[in-house]
Amino acid sequence: MNSNYKFYVNGEWRESQTKEVIEIRSPYKDAIVGKVQAISQSEADEAIQAAKVAQKDWEQTSIRERGDYLYRWIKELATMKEEIATTIMQEVGKGFNDAVKEVERTIDLIRFTIEEAIHLYGESMLGENFPGGSRSKIAISHRVPLGVVLAISPFNYPVNLSAAKIAPALISGNTVVFKPATQGAISGIKMIEALDKAGLPKGVLNVVTGHGSAIGNYLIEHPGIDMISFTGGSETGKRIAKLANMIPLVMELGGKDPAIVVKDANLDLAVKQIVSGAFSYSGQRCTAIKRVFVEESIADELVSKLTKELETVTIGSPEDNKTIVPLIDKKSADFVQGLIDDALEKKAVLITGNKREGNLIYPTLLDHVTADMRLAWEEPFGPVLPIIRVKTVDEAIDMSNQSEYGLQASIFSQDIDQAFTIAGKIQAGSVQINGRTERGPDHFPFIGTKGSGMGTQGVKRSIESMTREKVTVININ
Ligand code: G3H
């Protein structure tokens, strides 16, 4: 590999006039995967202008025509599946099979988005329903695009979470400026090569790459941007919310998803779901289970079953499809190690793990984690799971809700009434009963509350978030 990848503006692949490139290093071997352009603000401006100009015609094409472009994109993605999956693996260190699944999930997501948009209808209303109103007034409401959408995606799903923004934006008549995470940019570029091959009109989708310090704020504050869809860290999300103009924002940020294990839980089911929820892709998912609250009376049994299950978790290279793989970079691994060290200094009990080889952190289970430890509150984005023992379910609910985050939560109980009662008290966008926290299936509403984000995603909701209602009133005289 190690190619020089260009950015994409107005249907053209270009090298930056800055002559500066950013090296993308593999997270799991000492190699450069490729280089992307570090573009300037004036090049970012060109991308926004190209999107602005293209939007007028794009909006005028029929939804079926826009759907046809996206269907062709799917076809190209299917042809490039292995190539894109290999790039995901090399660039962000995701196991190859999971990378293939990411591309397949993306294809399904785009197809569902086209079909959903085609079947979305507006509504009409008669004036007479309101007191004093008349049947001679009829309102027709339908959805129209917002304009230019700035799509900013994270490293951990460089293809799927990018398409989850791009597809609803395009099908509903918006044009897009796409800023992939730098680590993940090559996967994003490859995905857009497929869209380019599908013959998308120039300017409808533009890809910008570069240093956040150079173009990040510039893009966010730019008056040509009409909506921002962002997935990434909470600190960046808060900055975007402060800097953006008065435009709609949809943001999916961090999480500290709890699993609450109640004494009547099916522990074998809970253990399987918790381990898969906490440790897949080394815990680098915003929806990973990031703390376990367990009632004292079953805590020893749960910990012993979790320990056994963790022995089955594979560790090593993404090229060998291991579950625990090196984290995205050294800074992230250092951060996770810092959380483990802090917990151990404060007398958490190490059950397994706390072993490190470079960026590879072995799956780590810590018992007797308490509220004074950083690990009880901070998001590791790595393979470490704290067990917090509680006397009552109410204590678990209180501590769950004290978190700055509110993405998802899992409740494990065989008493469905109790599970529903707990779900009602948990501050989170979604609560999973007897299952791990996760975004999919991708048409479900996906919501972050508190520090976990704003707005709702999921196929239909994403389309709605990138459109607004437009009302035309007929007055029959
Ligand atoms: O990392 C954030 C993603 O939205 C999580 O998606 O639950 O499908 O892994 P996932």
Side-chain angles (χ1 to χ4, degrees):
M1 238 192 188
N2 198 2
S3 316
N4 210 341
Y5 290 89
K6 298 176 177 168
F7 71 115
Y8 184 63
V9 170
N10 212 20
E12 248 183 80
W13 294 99
R14 287 172 33 184
E15 282 186 7
S16 172
Q17 283 171 356
T18 64
K19 303 281 175 227
E20 206 193 322
V21 288
I22 303 171
E23 287 183 348
I24 310 290
R25 299 197 76 81
S26 163
Y28 64 93
K29 55 184 178 192
D30 190 19
I32 295 166
V33 182
K35 295 168 192 157
V36 297
Q37 308 297 308
I39 72 165
S40 64
Q41 291 184 353
S42 71
E43 287 166 325
D45 185 57
E46 278 183 65
I48 295 170
Q49 297 309 335
K52 195 106 231 155
V53 170
Q55 203 270 328
K56 287 193 177 59
D57 285 344
W58 183 245
E59 180 179 8
Q60 292 310 317
T61 57
S62 75
I63 192 163
R64 288 209 163 264
E65 200 178 328
R66 295 197 293 269
D68 285 344
Y69 284 111
L70 299 189
Y71 278 126
R72 288 206 285 278
W73 185 21
I74 291 175
K75 216 168 137 223
E76 297 296 341
L77 285 173
T79 310
M80 292 173 70
K81 183 163 83 178
E82 297 249 320
E83 180 189 341
I84 295 176
T86 304
T87 307
I88 295 174
M89 178 188 76
Q90 293 176 337
E91 192 179 18
V92 304
K94 186 174 281 193
F96 180 73
N97 289 349
D98 286 341
V100 169
K101 279 189 209 143
E102 178 172 342
V103 181
E104 289 170 348
R105 178 179 179 180
T106 302
I107 289 172
D108 289 338
L109 171 79
I110 299 169
R111 186 181 298 110
F112 201 101
T113 303
I114 303 166
E115 289 162 2
E116 184 74 40
I118 283 174
H119 294 99
L120 278 181
Y121 299 104
E123 61 178 329
S124 66
M125 292 176 190
L126 292 179
E128 69 174 8
N129 294 49
F130 198 80
S134 142
R135 187 172 284 198
S136 63
K137 250 185 196 309
I138 304 168
I140 300 167
S141 170
H142 67 285
R143 300 198 79 86
V144 294
L146 297 176
V148 178
V149 170
L150 174 61
I152 310 176
S153 58
F155 80 83
N156 63 342
Y157 281 94
V159 167
N160 181 267
L161 280 173
S162 304
K165 303 172 190 315
I166 292 169
L170 294 184
I171 192 67
S172 41
N174 299 283
T175 52
V176 175
V177 175
F178 169 38
K179 161 78 177 71
T182 300
Q183 190 95 30
I186 302 175
S187 309
I189 286 170
K190 287 210 170 281
M191 177 179 81
I192 300 308
E193 281 173 14
L195 189 52
D196 181 53
K197 285 183 196 160
L200 194 76
K202 61 179 193 174
V204 170
L205 185 291
N206 305 273
V207 186
V208 295
T209 54
H211 296 293
S213 53
I215 58 167
N217 288 3
Y218 183 77
L219 288 165
I220 293 159
E221 293 176 317
H222 199 290
I225 296 296
D226 300 301
M227 187 268 173
I228 300 175
S229 177
F230 170 75
T231 303
S234 292
E235 286 317 308
T236 312
K238 284 179 198 156
R239 188 163 53 81
I240 291 174
K242 283 197 186 122
L243 290 176
N245 288 307
M246 206 176 76
I247 55 172
L249 304 176
V250 171
M251 300 204 273
E252 181 207 342
L253 310 173
K256 187 72 183 172
D257 293 0
I260 299 178
V261 186
V262 180
K263 33 180 190 277
D264 74 344
N266 174 339
L267 284 190
D268 291 330
L269 169 90
V271 161
K272 287 246 177 266
Q273 292 293 313
I274 289 171
V275 167
S276 137
F279 293 99
S280 35
Y281 187 32
S282 289
Q284 297 177 107
R285 296 166 54 242
C286 58
T287 48
I289 289 178
K290 289 171 185 149
R291 49 196 173 142
V292 173
F293 294 105
V294 57
E295 290 197 88
E296 282 282 8
S297 58
I298 52 157
D300 286 345
E301 193 184 354
L302 180 77
V303 170
S304 134
K305 282 178 185 281
L306 283 170
T307 312
K308 204 150 174 265
E309 182 68 18
L310 270 175
E311 285 165 12
T312 67
V313 170
T314 57
I315 303 162
S317 168
E319 296 190 8
D320 301 325
N321 287 307
K322 304 299 183 198
T323 300
I324 302 295
V325 290
L327 295 182
I328 192 71
D329 54 26
K330 180 174 179 300
K331 193 172 156 218
S332 307
D334 289 347
F335 179 75
V336 174
Q337 190 62 55
L339 293 179
I340 297 172
D341 293 346
D342 173 78
L344 290 174
E345 270 162 32
K346 291 173 182 158
K347 304 281 179 270
V349 176
L350 178 68
I351 304 295
T352 184
N354 190 26
K355 186 174 157 194
R356 178 173 174 183
E357 288 160 10
N359 297 345
L360 179 68
I361 300 221
Y362 279 58
T364 301
L365 188 64
L366 289 162
D367 195 2
H368 295 282
V369 169
T370 46
D372 57 327
M373 301 174 191
R374 289 173 55 205
L375 193 55
W377 308 107
E378 295 181 36
E379 178 183 36
F381 231 66
V384 53
L385 184 64
I387 308 289
I388 302 172
R389 296 176 176 230
V390 290
K391 292 195 175 54
T392 62
V393 170
D394 282 341
E395 193 185 332
I397 297 170
D398 281 350
M399 220 170 146
S400 286
N401 290 345
Q402 277 169 37
S403 169
E404 67 183 285
Y405 298 108
L407 190 57
Q408 294 205 354
S410 289
I411 296 163
F412 293 96
S413 168
Q414 295 188 86
D415 176 348
I416 196 70
D417 293 350
Q418 184 183 26
F420 258 84
T421 306
I422 300 170
K425 291 181 181 171
I426 293 286
Q427 295 167 1
S430 323
V431 181
Q432 308 265 355
I433 294 175
N434 293 324
R436 67 174 212 169
T437 45
E438 61 187 4
R439 172 167 48 111
D442 293 344
H443 65 308
F444 281 9
F446 184 49
I447 308 139
T449 62
K450 305 201 284 185
S452 291
M454 58 198 290
T456 307
Q457 298 179 87
V459 172
K460 184 176 176 198
R461 304 298 196 282
S462 295
I463 294 169
E464 287 171 348
S465 76
M466 293 174 176
T467 51
R468 64 179 171 82
E469 275 191 285
K470 169 89 182 277
V471 178
T472 310
V473 180
I474 303 168
N475 291 275
I476 303 168
N477 294 303

